[in-house]
Amino acid sequence: MSVLKATNVTKRFGKFTALDGVNLEVNKGEVFGFIGPNGAGKSTTIRVLLGILKATEGEAKIFGKDVWDDAVDIHERIAYVPGDVNLWPNLTGGEVIDLFVKLRGGNNKNRREELIERFKLDPTKKCRTYSKGNRQKVALISAFSSDADLYILDEPTSGLDPLMEQVFQECVMEAKEAGKSVLLSSHILSEVEKLCDRVGIIREGKMIETGSLNELRHLTRTNLLVETKEPISGLAEMKGVHDLEGENQSLSFQVDTEELETVIRHVSQFGVVKLESAPPTLEDLFMRHYEGQDQLVSESGGETNG
Amino acid sequence: MANTNLKGTGRLSWLIIRRDRIRIPLWFIGIIFFTLIVPVSFKDLYGTQQERDVMAETMENPAMIAMVGPADLSNYTLGVMTAHQMLLLTAVVVGLMSILLVTRHTRADEEDGRIEMIRSLPVGRLANLNSTLVVYVMVNVVLALIAGFGLYALNIESIDLEGSLLYGAALGATGIVFTGITALFAQLSDSSRGTMGLSIAVLIITYLIRGVGDVSQEALSMISPLGWVTKTEAYDANNWWPIFLMLGLSIILFILANYLNAIRDLEAGFLPSKPGKSHASRLLQTPIGLALKLQRTGIIAWAIGLLVIGVSYGSILGDLDSFFEGNDMMTELLANETGFSFTEQFISMIMMVMALLATVPPVMAMNKLYGEEKKGRIEHFLSRSISRTKLMASFVIISVINAFVMVSLTGIGLWSAAVFVMDEPFEFSTILGMAIAYYPAVLVMISVAVLLIGFLPRLVSVVWLYVLYSFFVLYLGQMFQFSDWVGKLSPFGHIPQLPVDEMMWMPMIVLTLIAAMVTTIGFVGYRTRDIEG
Ligand SMILES: Nc1ncnc2c1ncn2[C@@H]1O[C@H](COP(=O)(O)OP(=O)(O)OP(=O)(O)O)[C@@H](O)[C@H]1O
Ligand SMILES: [Mg+2]
């Protein structure tokens, strides 16, 4: 069941098209990773979903309701954390958390105290004196202490230290276990890899890939390292082989996943002594997309738009 | 949908009150203090009707009418006198209060990304705007009541209940109108500086239109809300219709602001902001260039504003002349007493008021240094190979040049209009000289800003109190017959008021030296203190 569904959302700022027909779907109980290079349109998408920017075209629904018309209803059940948290300089962190909690209408004192404890925040300090990470903690605490069904997080950890990053990840996992959904935009790939069930990649305002990490891995290359008894020949000419390096009997290269079988068969003729394979890292996957090589294989795995 | 748009308004209103719990009382104390102290001192100084009639006579000329508005001078009771000389001026201050505070809760909050957080909560799209409107309408209503009942409580015979309430209502209604105007510009402009600048421009323009209208063309005053303020004729005719006119206008402004807020994106405006360049020009790569670029729009706006003010006052000079032409006795009276024509006395007074206004942009330019620091952007410079001294010097240089330009512009404006309307216009160099005579005093103000930035950056606003003090003391000084030293506490009090006073070089040199010294001390402080993040 989908909690969030954006169909063909386009957003123009004057002549500039920031979003160009974005499709996005987040299912109940799932953590959805939203990634893409700087300026790709992640924050813009999220702001459309929050009903604070009006989509030029297309339709976006959360809990089956229109994000612009029913924003207030929807917001009762969502929690948002931006990457750059700005607070009122002369209010304390504790006051701001209470304000947010009250505006949402819930009141879970224990949860609030527990989170303040876990994130090690001093709620008695004025926001003026908070560091970036501390301001972010204020937003995270008020988000996770609310009983939301959907968490929308836009680079929520960009200012957190590794220890706090850990706490954040636990909070996300707890939310997931409780059947909540999460839309997480992030540049920290290890975080995405660890937390997300599915990922969507956006570039220049277009969603270029969506799918589970496994599905997406099919779209990329496996790293191979082989040592053989006899020198390998003819490998360089084979389809799907890239970045060939090394001497005749010890080679390292990358293979497109769909050509893997043919390549292994070819290599095995030369008497394999040693074979190491490394799965494609998320970085490899992202690099290919981010760099904008457009000859991505679109038939296999994941849905592809644009 | 309509009802959810306002959800959360109540709670946000409390937030605004919580955030302004110091600011609002401070404004109240200032405004009420002046409102109440004036009639009390008038009672002391102009206790008899005879004394007041003399005062009324000096008020009966276009220059004064342009400044404070018209009044029934044949019935110059204490009440009429207070309303005539203080109501308009106080209304302008109340308008300013609304502009500054409303901007703070609308566009400034939005620009800093705080409204984004609020809007992600179950809070209506229009809740923030309307909670600001609700709070500031209430603030102005309370101000109106305190001022009204406060005046009545003074128990002065001509200051009756209805007149007092009307006086308060005129102040409150002006505040409410400017709440609406600021709310509207907060939708149109996409920055808080723009919102504030445009609203203040409207405030000044409505004041000037009214001035020109009161002197020459009655109908013109009727298009200015500040013109309506003087039409109340509190303690005299007690007209309530201007109050209703102002409230009606406010409602229209509120509706417009709500409409525009409802149809726009968060953080967007309606006025175009043009795309910037992709490369920094050579100039921009120096701190001086950056400081200039950051304030360009503001500097231009102020330059135009001061020129317009100069022209406006200049254009009255002709009327002043013709007024005295038909009134030989008065001319002689004044001339005999002081040896100078009324026009000359008027000019010397106007020059001082304009010099004080011209102090605002250079002091703003200087305070920008701390503004940037507060926003954490100064680090970008200091982390590179630019010393603090050099950084501060860049801002000082701009501010000092800015001051010279602004002061000169007031004189140029005055002269260029005077040339057309006066039969025997002043020499250009005479007028320019009168304006520039105030330059050393402006330099002292800048040096005070430098000193504060150097040692007590949190208190930089104190320099505005000093400017305000100078204004009140010197503008009202003659009326209240303050002792000399009160005026001498302000650098502006030491400047010879040309052409009435004789030119004296000594105080100007001393002031310049003081400015240089205080600036140097400020530099020392800036070099040794912590930079805030
Ligand atoms: N109000 C606006 N007016 C004009 N252009 C805008 C506006 N807001 C965003 N953009 C542009 O839209 C594009 C998408 O911006 P967005 O903030 O969504 O990127 P992002 O994917 O969140 O990037 P990052 O990873 O750096 O946070 C950018 O090119 C940005 O300059
Ligand atoms: Mg972003």
Side-chain angles (χ1 to χ4, degrees), chain A residues 3 28 63 76-79 147-151 179-182:
Chain A
V3 236
K28 188 170 164 28
F63 310 128
E76 275 170 19
R77 294 168 57 198
I78 71 176
D147 192 29
D149 292 318
L150 171 65
Y151 294 85
K180 313 291 176 68
S181 319
V182 180

Side-chain angles (χ1 to χ4, degrees), chain A residues 39 41-44 154-155 185 187:
Chain A
K42 298 179 295 295
S43 301
T44 307
D154 190 1
E155 295 180 44
S185 142
H187 288 299

Side-chain angles (χ1 to χ4, degrees), chain B residues 38-111:
Chain B
V38 167
V40 170
S41 27
F42 277 172
K43 196 179 162 200
D44 282 351
L45 296 169
Y46 307 96
T48 68
Q49 190 57 46
Q50 212 175 355
E51 285 167 312
R52 288 195 292 273
D53 285 340
V54 172
M55 180 59 143
E57 223 152 277
T58 64
M59 284 285 152
E60 188 154 18
N61 68 75
M64 281 331 272
I65 292 171
M67 210 130 84
V68 299
D72 179 4
L73 296 170
S74 60
N75 174 29
Y76 219 49
T77 61
L78 276 175
V80 173
M81 186 168 160
T82 306
H84 182 212
Q85 301 200 5
M86 293 306 297
L87 180 55
L88 185 62
L89 197 68
T90 318
V92 169
V93 175
V94 175
L96 193 64
M97 169 190 85
S98 293
I99 291 172
L100 296 180
L101 295 177
V102 171
T103 304
R104 171 176 147 81
H105 292 286
T106 51
R107 188 47 82 167
D109 258 7
E110 187 165 333
E111 188 178 52

Side-chain angles (χ1 to χ4, degrees), chain A residues 11 47 51-54 68 72 75-76 80 82 86-91 95 100 102-104, chain B residues 4 7 11 15 18-19 109 112 114 116-125 262 265-267 458:
Chain A
K11 176 69 195 174
R47 289 158 142 246
I52 60 182
L53 296 184
K54 195 168 170 44
W68 178 264
V72 174
H75 293 182
E76 275 170 19
Y80 167 61
N86 280 297
L87 304 169
W88 297 270
N90 57 348
L91 264 58
E95 279 178 306
F100 287 163
K102 276 195 195 124
L103 279 171
R104 185 175 283 112
Chain B
T4 62
K7 191 160 184 250
R11 228 177 251 298
L15 173 68
R18 159 71 182 79
R19 288 176 58 204
D109 258 7
D112 289 346
R114 291 186 279 260
E116 180 180 351
M117 289 294 290
I118 294 281
R119 281 280 296 277
S120 76
L121 297 164
V123 166
R125 195 159 284 140
D265 283 340
L266 190 74
E267 282 158 36
R458 284 272 172 81

Side-chain angles (χ1 to χ4, degrees), chain B residues 293-468:
Chain B
K293 162 113 198 194
L294 287 173
Q295 326 175 4
R296 194 180 50 191
T297 326
I299 293 178
I300 295 173
W302 272 98
I304 295 173
L306 287 169
L307 197 66
V308 169
I309 291 173
V311 169
S312 312
Y313 280 125
S315 67
I316 305 171
L317 293 178
D319 288 305
L320 213 60
D321 267 3
S322 58
F323 177 82
F324 286 114
E325 253 162 41
N327 196 338
D328 289 340
M329 200 198 74
M330 182 97 172
T331 325
E332 244 164 61
L333 187 93
L334 280 165
N336 283 350
E337 254 178 31
T338 59
F340 287 93
S341 75
F342 198 91
T343 309
E344 282 169 324
Q345 294 185 32
F346 173 67
I347 287 190
S348 78
M349 157 101 127
I350 280 305
M351 279 300 174
M352 194 188 61
V353 171
M354 291 202 301
L356 274 159
L357 280 174
T359 310
V360 176
V363 170
M364 270 168 60
M366 198 58 236
N367 282 354
K368 185 92 186 155
L369 176 60
Y370 178 63
E372 289 294 299
E373 174 179 343
K374 228 171 35 180
K375 295 210 166 124
R377 293 195 289 239
I378 279 300
E379 293 165 13
H380 299 310
F381 281 108
L382 296 181
S383 60
R384 295 185 172 74
S385 64
I386 288 166
S387 71
R388 293 189 189 194
T389 310
K390 192 167 171 195
L391 184 65
M392 187 175 236
S394 308
F395 278 81
V396 171
I397 290 169
I398 287 181
S399 174
V400 164
I401 297 174
N402 182 327
F404 190 78
V405 173
M406 297 294 169
V407 168
S408 309
L409 280 175
T410 59
I412 293 171
L414 190 78
W415 175 81
S416 56
V419 144
F420 289 106
V421 297
M422 286 176 79
D423 295 335
E424 301 162 38
F426 290 88
E427 290 284 323
F428 176 66
S429 56
T430 313
I431 299 248
L432 193 64
M434 288 186 228
I436 292 175
Y438 283 98
Y439 187 50
V442 181
L443 290 182
V444 172
M445 282 295 173
I446 297 175
S447 73
V448 172
V450 175
L451 186 71
L452 286 167
I453 295 173
F455 285 96
L456 297 164
R458 284 272 172 81
L459 298 179
V460 284
S461 317
V462 169
V463 66
W464 295 122
L465 286 183
Y466 197 25
V467 174
L468 219 63

